[in-house]
Amino acid sequence: MDLGWTKEEEDFRLRLRAWLRTTLPGLPAKPSPDDWPARRAYDCAWQRALYEAGYAGLHWPAEAGGQGATPTQQLIYLEETERAGAPYVGANFVGLLHAGPTIAAEGTAAQRARWLPPILRGDEVWCQGFTEPEAGSDLASLRTRAVRDGDAYVVTGSKIWTSHAEIADWCELLVRTDASASGHRGISWLALPMDAPGVTVRPLRTLAGSTEFAEVFLDEVRVPVSHRVGAENDGWRVTMVTLAFERGTAFAGEVVACRRTLERLAVTAKENGRWDDAVLRRRLGRLDAEFGALWRLVQGNVSEAESSLRAGGDGVPGAGASVFKLRYSQARQDLYDAAAEVLGPLSLDADHAWTGERLTSLSYTIAAGTSQIQQNIIAERVLGLPRSR
């Protein structure tokens, strides 16, 4: 495994760096974190700028509307955009980082043509409808049903913690299409139009004050059968593709952001005198090593996916994605716990950005599958231990 950069990759980095240097100063001010319609407009405008400059869907295959760049170039993109302080993917997180890649990998030609270009242009926003009340992250326990009626499914049930539902056009939705099946069987992956009759969205305010999540109620919603990605009742396998992208690569850019936050923590500690505490310095040092190791793990997962593509495979991240997700969830919490120690009494200021990030970091041990689920995957698929019952 070669973790160095080729000349082509370095040239790509320099072109991107130059474009960011000329583009970022012209961006408008970021909207309020609670104003999701404004955040959608801001995030989609940034996505359109990337699209017009040829940086949208960099590592998506060309036949899916992407640039056909290597996963390594995607990593360079993440490094450079974060280093330059470019806008985060924001409201386009679900569409760009796991719904889109799933459709590119598992969808039909017609589905790729319908849904992928609007994602890349920033015209349509997606949300994720996986988690349900009384099931949590145990997707095998989902109870939302889809009953076949001619050329449509009639969907009834509810979802919770649905990311970006308030402003989304589409939802990647898991439903049970075989009521007699249990567990992982009898599930299908549907693309649900959020403006369909029978869809009700109720935003949830989190501990950090954000309304990023929502409850979604589905009352006999008709979804065309043509909106099913993958075969009927084969949704669990499709979902594993979605989650592999979410766990393996969707958080990669955040690792770069965490390393930048760590640098600012050190600067702040030197300014307010906390740097004199040797215990705190060691704590920040351990975090620096941790995030350095996580970035290497990202590179390893990407290198594995790139090798898969060269060998004619699907390029979907493997079980190493769970190793990354498990450790990253904890490291992010540790980072903002350290931030509270650096800030001292100021950490109680609810308006301080690091205070909000500290509260939000608690959710990372649930997002994209709980840490317990990641541990089970690692035990079974990496260590080869017997399956849990």
Side-chain angles (χ1 to χ4, degrees), residues 241-301:
V241 173
T242 304
L243 293 176
F245 281 118
E246 186 176 11
R247 295 163 183 164
T249 57
F251 296 108
E254 295 187 20
V255 174
V256 184
C258 285
R259 298 184 79 177
R260 284 169 52 84
T261 298
L262 188 58
E263 293 171 0
R264 290 196 290 271
L265 276 183
V267 171
T268 301
K270 291 173 183 175
E271 290 173 346
N272 68 10
R274 297 288 293 133
W275 192 253
D276 295 336
D277 184 340
V279 175
L280 176 64
R281 292 200 306 271
R282 283 196 293 273
R283 185 176 184 180
L284 297 182
R286 282 196 299 272
L287 281 168
D288 184 52
E290 179 98 30
F291 282 107
L294 280 168
W295 185 246
R296 287 301 188 188
L297 187 55
V298 168
Q299 289 179 301
N301 288 338

Side-chain angles (χ1 to χ4, degrees), residues 329-351:
S329 299
Q330 187 58 54
R332 188 181 178 91
Q333 290 187 35
D334 293 344
L335 172 67
Y336 287 103
D337 284 348
E341 188 172 342
V342 170
L343 290 173
L346 189 58
S347 67
L348 299 178
D349 180 357
D351 292 329

Side-chain angles (χ1 to χ4, degrees), residues 8 24 50 57 96 98 119 150 156-157 175 183 210 227 234-235 239 260 275 278 281 287-288 296 298 361 377 384 389:
E8 182 183 15
L24 293 181
L50 291 171
L96 283 168
H98 44 89
I119 292 175
T156 300
V175 296
S210 170
H227 287 194
D234 192 32
T239 301
R260 284 169 52 84
W275 192 253
R281 292 200 306 271
L287 281 168
D288 184 52
R296 287 301 188 188
V298 168
S361 72
I377 293 173
R389 298 182 183 277

Side-chain angles (χ1 to χ4, degrees), residues 90-350:
N92 294 306
F93 180 92
V94 173
L96 283 168
L97 299 182
H98 44 89
T102 300
I103 294 169
E106 298 290 335
T108 64
Q111 290 171 338
R112 290 196 292 271
R114 167 59 188 89
W115 288 312
L116 298 185
I119 292 175
L120 292 176
R121 291 194 301 264
D123 291 343
E124 293 181 345
V125 170
W126 285 64
C127 62
Q128 186 183 64
F130 282 11
T131 307
E132 294 188 3
E134 302 180 21
S137 293
D138 181 11
L139 300 180
S141 297
L142 68 87
R143 295 188 294 185
T144 294
R145 291 189 176 185
V147 179
R148 186 78 173 261
D149 180 21
D151 60 355
Y153 291 108
V154 179
V155 181
T156 300
S158 65
K159 298 289 177 176
I160 196 168
W161 308 121
T162 304
S163 309
H164 305 139
E166 185 182 0
I167 54 169
D169 304 291
W170 293 91
C171 176
E172 52 176 13
L173 184 73
L174 292 187
V175 296
R176 192 167 292 284
T177 40
D178 183 353
S180 65
S182 61
H184 302 162
R185 294 177 291 278
I187 292 173
S188 295
W189 196 110
L190 303 180
L192 166 73
M194 292 298 287
D195 61 353
V199 177
T200 301
V201 176
R202 187 163 67 191
L204 293 169
R205 186 165 294 279
T206 67
L207 181 67
S210 170
T211 54
E212 176 181 346
F213 303 112
E215 293 175 288
V216 177
F217 300 93
L218 306 163
D219 183 13
E220 297 188 345
V221 181
R222 294 187 70 85
V223 181
V225 173
S226 60
H227 287 194
R228 188 191 66 231
V229 175
E232 185 171 276
N233 300 327
D234 192 32
W236 184 257
R237 186 190 59 78
V238 179
T239 301
M240 291 303 100
V241 173
T242 304
L243 293 176
F245 281 118
E246 186 176 11
R247 295 163 183 164
T249 57
F251 296 108
E254 295 187 20
V255 174
V256 184
C258 285
R259 298 184 79 177
R260 284 169 52 84
T261 298
L262 188 58
E263 293 171 0
R264 290 196 290 271
L265 276 183
V267 171
T268 301
K270 291 173 183 175
E271 290 173 346
N272 68 10
R274 297 288 293 133
W275 192 253
D276 295 336
D277 184 340
V279 175
L280 176 64
R281 292 200 306 271
R282 283 196 293 273
R283 185 176 184 180
L284 297 182
R286 282 196 299 272
L287 281 168
D288 184 52
E290 179 98 30
F291 282 107
L294 280 168
W295 185 246
R296 287 301 188 188
L297 187 55
V298 168
Q299 289 179 301
N301 288 338
V302 167
S303 178
E304 182 182 9
E306 200 165 322
S307 297
S308 167
L309 284 174
R310 284 197 296 267
D314 55 14
V316 177
S322 290
V323 178
F324 166 80
K325 173 61 178 55
L326 175 66
R327 196 52 225 167
Y328 171 66
S329 299
Q330 187 58 54
R332 188 181 178 91
Q333 290 187 35
D334 293 344
L335 172 67
Y336 287 103
D337 284 348
E341 188 172 342
V342 170
L343 290 173
L346 189 58
S347 67
L348 299 178
D349 180 357

